Amino acid sequence: MTRRSERARSRRPARLLATTLVAALTAVLTLSTASCGGSPGPGTGSGADPAQQASARAQGGSAGAIDVAAENAKPGTRAWAVDDSRLGAQDAIEGYTDHASVAPGQSFRLYVSTTAPSFTVAAYRIGYYGGADGHLVWQSPQTPGVHQTAQSIDATTHTVECDWQPSLTVGTSGWVPGEYLLRLDSSAGDERLVPLIVHSTSTAGRVVILAGTTTWQAYNTWGGYSLYRGPDGAYATRARAVSFDRPYLDPDEPSGDGLFFPFDQALVSFAEQHGLPVAYESDLELETSPQLFQGARAIVSDGHDEYYSQTMRDTLQNARDRQGTNLAFLGANAIFRHIRWGSTQLGADRLVICYKDATEDPLAASDPTQTTQDWRYAPDPRPENALTGSLYQCNPVDAPYVVYDPDNWIFAGTGVTQGTSFPGLVGPEYDRVVDIGTTPHPIEVLSHSPLTCQGTGSYQESSYYTVASGAGVFDAATMRWECALGSQCSAHFGQGARDFVRRATLTLLTAFAAGPAGRAHPAVDNTAADYVPLGEGLGID
């Protein structure tokens, strides 16, 4: 398989956010195999049938805890990887599920369209598995193919929704929680993927790996519209709401994985390689099932986790403040966009609503607290750094990562000194610590990486802060941190950067797995060393 070292996507109009922030702060076929179950109810994820969830819990091993050692002992395979040369035309074969996330034992419907006479499906759990990164858990028989084209486009919001007939109903009995790829193979030789989360029914005592599916969907251009542009490529013609009722299509991820490869896979494989006590949830569970995060030792956000509703944000904040749950953001630009959830014909919570402009949002007059502009903007500005510690700054950038605080416990054993530099580790988006009213204290700046973005000088800064509950919060503040855990991004940095990130991340997550990190590693303010005067906005200097 040919995988991109980094998504060279054309994102939102690139610009610095300094001056604007200062102003803003003022089934057709039901399989009868042992792994299949009945038809699921509507909806996306943890709004599962209570009887199915109870059955899953009664299974006693797979539903809550994951025996990572036992998983690693299972036979690994790389057959999950598709060959880009065999993707064929977009409609050669593609698909989507009626649930983005399911509990173990819960069934889901798979919608497939293909121009070939027939197709097969294979489900792979992604982990470490001796370096093969995948394990086959289920295969379908040869299934008749149908070319499905029915879709609707809302004239007001430009929301694209498919109206396909289900091809298979698949049960997940015995499937261990994790991130899965469903590989579609047509009889004509074309290949494509469909992602699926099988979420844990308990996270107590665990490090939760959180899949940012709202962000995957925001960039999905299937049918011509994403939250960034319309068919003509213009920002003005973008969708204002995007539906999960369609396949994934990203210009730089044509295999159909959403954004799993660039922002999730390396973290999943790394965590299981090192035997961390993991659990798996999607960001949907933050919205629909906050109780699933009770007792979690840590919640780890992936490499790009941008789109959050108020409830999603509240779930993270409550975990941090009431339970002492540690938080780790292993990317940049997290919790930047304010969204609401809506329904589609397949059920609740399958529509991501984001106008990106309060004046366009229908709730502007009735409930301005829920309008869907960026979190930091009026009418009710709540900057993301209240949770992440840092603020998103600018893109695109390609710059060295420069260590500022080599004595911080997270960098123990890495051998770095102040000024140690790792070329290319910062990019394509970055965050910075800015001392404004929403900045948590005490907070430690860990890196201070000079760069130029859009012609303006600035700095990237990783950070670590602690709160009264004992929780510790880490923000990597560069999107390339997560991919450095694996073999991606090789065009941007070398083995030295990869070794540094892997050692620091293992130290971080091992400590986070032990409980509230602030008790053993309380943060101490060092922001004065960052040369950012108090109250001076974004501190671009």
Side-chain angles (χ1 to χ4, degrees), residues 4-28:
R4 289 136 201 84
S5 61
E6 183 175 280
R7 300 172 61 242
R9 59 191 177 279
S10 172
R11 291 179 45 83
R12 67 179 79 83
R15 64 194 186 277
L16 285 170
L17 298 173
T19 56
T20 50
L21 175 59
V22 173
L25 291 177
T26 322
V28 170

Side-chain angles (χ1 to χ4, degrees), residues 384-443:
E384 67 273 14
N385 74 332
L387 269 176
T388 63
S390 303
L391 280 165
Y392 168 65
Q393 296 281 278
C394 181
N395 81 94
V397 71
D398 184 283
Y401 182 98
V402 181
V403 174
Y404 176 76
D405 186 3
D407 296 327
N408 184 274
W409 65 273
I410 297 170
F411 293 162
T414 62
V416 297
T417 60
Q418 189 174 67
T420 296
S421 177
F422 297 102
L425 186 53
V426 175
E429 303 189 17
Y430 70 97
D431 302 339
R432 184 178 183 186
V433 175
V434 180
D435 208 345
I436 57 177
T438 52
T439 304
H441 285 280
I443 187 167

Side-chain angles (χ1 to χ4, degrees), residues 437-525:
T438 52
T439 304
H441 285 280
I443 187 167
E444 300 180 10
V445 174
L446 308 183
S447 65
H448 189 61
S449 310
L451 52 83
T452 299
C453 188
Q454 299 298 301
T456 302
S458 181
Y459 293 90
Q460 174 275 350
E461 292 168 332
S462 300
S463 63
Y464 170 73
Y465 74 85
T466 52
V467 296
S469 68
V473 180
F474 171 77
D475 179 23
T478 169
M479 284 183 173
R480 290 183 187 152
W481 187 281
E482 190 274 344
C483 69
L485 296 174
S487 59
Q488 299 185 46
C489 299
S490 58
H492 297 279
F493 51 78
Q495 190 60 43
R498 202 177 308 284
D499 291 344
F500 163 72
V501 169
R502 288 175 67 87
R503 179 62 181 264
T505 303
L506 183 59
T507 298
L508 174 79
L509 297 185
T510 299
F512 275 17
R519 295 174 184 170
H521 305 288
V524 178
D525 271 317

